[in-house]
Amino acid sequence: QVPLVESGGGLVQAGESLRLSCAASGRTLGGYAMGWFRQAPGKEREFVAAIARSYSNTRYSDSVKGRFTISRDNVKNMLYLQMNSLKPEDTAVYYCAAHMRLGVFLGDKIGDYDYWGQGTQVTVSL
């Protein structure tokens, strides 16, 4: 088990920024590929961004590309999602996820990940 805990969500206005964090309690994240997903009310959980074990490989959904940045600090054992130019359609519960599967690189599917946090709410108003 990898207990993941997200933080940093909140209520912001359109155009503002937020930085989400994801911490692993009692585990080092260095060996895990990581991702962020989100789920809006009445919708399925969708992929937002992924980062490989190395720092240099990342992947984004088209809806957030150019506005969001995923990053990790393996020394601090943290995963981040910097969200800029937020839009009302970004409103959702955001989840971090992790896996160690060697055959999955920058996974964008829920099934690619084995461990999930409880989520943090992000609400963007007009």
Side-chain angles (χ1 to χ4, degrees):
Q1 290 293 325
V2 181
L4 301 172
V5 180
E6 303 93 339
S7 61
L11 172 63
V12 297
Q13 292 187 326
E16 294 183 340
S17 299
L18 276 177
R19 188 175 83 155
L20 304 184
S21 300
C22 175
S25 175
R27 286 273 185 168
T28 176
L29 290 179
Y32 294 85
M34 306 291 296
W36 287 99
F37 287 73
R38 67 186 182 186
Q39 188 166 16
K43 295 188 177 181
E44 295 186 350
R45 192 171 299 189
E46 65 174 6
F47 170 74
V48 174
I51 187 166
R53 293 172 183 81
S54 67
Y55 291 84
S56 60
N57 298 102
T58 58
R59 181 180 184 179
Y60 298 91
S61 68
D62 289 341
S63 61
V64 307
K65 196 174 298 180
R67 300 188 297 122
F68 290 11
T69 302
I70 187 172
S71 63
R72 65 191 299 164
D73 186 333
N74 287 346
V75 174
K76 294 183 178 180
N77 221 27
M78 296 291 291
L79 174 74
Y80 303 102
L81 185 68
Q82 177 65 43
M83 306 186 295
N84 298 330
S85 302
L86 282 161
K87 305 175 181 180
E89 51 264 43
D90 295 318
T91 295
V93 177
Y94 283 72
Y95 300 89
C96 67
H99 74 82
M100 291 188 75
R101 306 180 192 184
L102 296 178
V104 177
F105 184 69
L106 298 176
D108 63 351
K109 299 177 181 59
I110 294 173
D112 291 335
Y113 295 84
D114 298 309
Y115 308 104
W116 294 83
Q118 294 300 307
T120 185
Q121 175 71 47
V122 172
T123 303
V124 185
S125 64
L126 287 170

